[in-house]
Amino acid sequence: MKVVELDEKKLVGIRVVCPGDQYANEIPKASVMLRYRLGEIQKVIHPARLVGAFIVGDYSEEEDGYWVCVEVSEINEIPEGMVSLVVPKQKYAVITHKGPNHQIRSTYEQLHRWIDDHQFERIHRAWHLEISDEWGHDGINDIKVDLYDTIK
């Protein structure tokens, strides 16, 4: 586990909104769809890097959900059915999750304990990121993803 600061990220992709217990099923489907439609997105920085973004908790309808995206150098035209998002420069505590996507919650619990033990404060109402260079595949739930929890 480590602390990093990331510069602003401009993201374009697909927003997933569903009941909380369905995200483990719906996010992989959205990543497959995004991979299929990647050629429609302009100015992609790392075509092989998937960036997920979300805000912890239910604050507003606009903030609800999970954004399955790629990073772009500039937000121009957004393909039909896609969304864009700008995540400001932030500081994060980071851990890598390896294994089934439905076990990601236990990795987050480890990260949250580490944050508490090191006397950082989690920022719930900020964009949290999940960054992976391994895109999901149909029917495969084992993933390797870096979890970025926003802190101050």
Side-chain angles (χ1 to χ4, degrees):
M1 288 177 251
K2 61 186 175 182
V3 173
V4 299
E5 194 166 325
L6 296 182
D7 288 331
E8 175 184 89
K9 293 201 170 293
K10 296 176 182 85
L11 306 175
V12 173
I14 298 169
R15 181 178 175 197
V16 177
V17 179
C18 62
D21 62 346
Q22 291 301 308
Y23 282 103
N25 296 324
E26 296 303 318
I27 291 169
K29 291 178 192 174
S31 72
V32 169
M33 185 183 310
L34 183 62
R35 184 176 60 227
Y36 178 75
R37 296 188 60 195
L38 194 59
E40 299 174 39
I41 302 172
Q42 298 175 10
K43 303 189 186 258
V44 176
I45 295 174
H46 301 286
R49 181 165 296 151
L50 186 65
V51 181
F54 63 97
I55 292 179
V56 176
D58 296 325
Y59 295 104
S60 71
E61 212 172 292
E62 293 81 31
E63 297 169 334
D64 189 24
Y66 187 97
W67 282 252
V68 179
C69 300
V70 289
E71 187 177 2
V72 296
S73 58
E74 191 178 324
I75 296 174
N76 290 330
E77 288 183 35
I78 300 163
E80 186 177 331
M82 292 192 193
V83 293
S84 67
L85 174 66
V86 178
V87 176
K89 180 178 183 175
Q90 298 181 138
K91 185 162 71 168
Y92 303 90
V94 184
I95 189 173
T96 301
H97 171 80
K98 294 179 190 172
N101 65 345
H102 64 273
Q103 291 179 359
I104 202 166
R105 189 176 304 266
S106 66
T107 306
Y108 270 113
E109 289 168 2
Q110 290 175 38
L111 181 59
H112 297 161
R113 280 193 301 275
W114 185 89
I115 291 169
D116 288 343
D117 291 348
H118 289 80
Q119 300 177 345
F120 290 106
E121 182 182 338
R122 293 182 66 217
I123 304 174
H124 293 272
R125 197 167 190 172
W127 291 105
H128 301 265
L129 303 176
E130 297 181 347
I131 301 176
S132 179
D133 290 334
E134 288 182 7
W135 288 50
H137 302 284
D138 288 321
I140 298 175
N141 291 326
D142 272 1
I143 57 173
K144 179 182 177 193
V145 59
D146 292 326
L147 310 178
Y148 290 74
D149 207 75
T150 310
I151 59 172
K152 64 175 172 181

